[in-house]
Amino acid sequence: MRHFFGLLIGALLTAALLFGAGWAAPELVRGAQILKVSPSGDGRMLIALGVVAAVGLLLGLVLVCRTSPLAAFVPSIVLLAWTVVYALDVPRALDLAPTATSLQAEVAQAGQGMVALLSTGVYGALGVALFLPVLMPSRWASPLRDEEDEFAEQSY
């Protein structure tokens, strides 16, 4: 059951890394370079900072907490596979991002942010960082039960 919940958390983290960070990256760049405003003066920049903080918190919890390794494995494989496709065939990798003008504006902006994060190598670095907890054997084993707890349960 722990691995099933880890799979669900991994799917949530993948969506957060792709769409959340993809939407927030161009929004923060827009505010910093084009408008030269402080985040407190622009509501969209505050929301983008909040999204980045939430994605970072979710990423940190998956890396640090003793969850199923599938919670880190699912997004790492997605990010690393997309980075490999980008390294081998750039047009095909860029076609995977939702950047069409017929889409909703926020989805297209998230797609443009995904392309920016992919082309700068951020997704590759995150994929490697998320893959490292998968290699730890202690993550795959179930938590050890204390012998006193077992004795207390048997005495009733």
Side-chain angles (χ1 to χ4, degrees):
M1 196 65 167
R2 179 172 78 99
H3 295 302
F4 176 73
F5 287 126
L7 186 67
L8 292 178
I9 292 170
L12 175 71
L13 181 61
T14 303
L17 285 172
L18 292 177
F19 287 100
W23 176 82
E27 192 64 37
L28 291 172
V29 169
R30 176 195 62 85
Q33 289 182 347
I34 298 170
L35 299 178
K36 297 197 186 294
V37 296
S38 68
S40 62
D42 188 11
R44 287 182 63 95
M45 283 188 65
L46 282 176
I47 294 171
L49 282 174
V51 168
V52 169
V55 168
L57 178 67
L58 186 60
L59 179 68
L61 287 175
V62 166
L63 290 175
V64 173
C65 291
R66 188 167 163 78
T67 60
S68 169
L70 290 176
F73 184 67
V74 171
S76 73
I77 289 302
V78 170
L79 295 174
L80 288 175
W82 199 11
T83 303
V84 168
V85 171
Y86 180 78
L88 297 176
D89 190 6
V90 174
R92 180 172 292 181
L94 296 181
D95 285 342
L96 294 173
T99 56
T101 56
S102 62
L103 296 170
Q104 188 178 5
E106 282 80 16
V107 175
Q109 180 179 350
Q112 293 167 355
M114 286 181 214
V115 169
L117 292 173
L118 176 68
S119 63
T120 56
V122 173
Y123 280 160
L126 282 174
V128 170
L130 283 166
F131 190 72
L132 292 178
V134 176
L135 300 177
M136 294 181 197
S138 62
R139 288 267 180 131
W140 290 97
S142 62
L144 296 175
R145 294 183 66 184
D146 194 16
E147 291 180 14
E148 293 177 7
D149 292 338
E150 290 180 16
F151 179 73
E153 290 175 5
Q154 291 175 359
S155 65
Y156 290 111

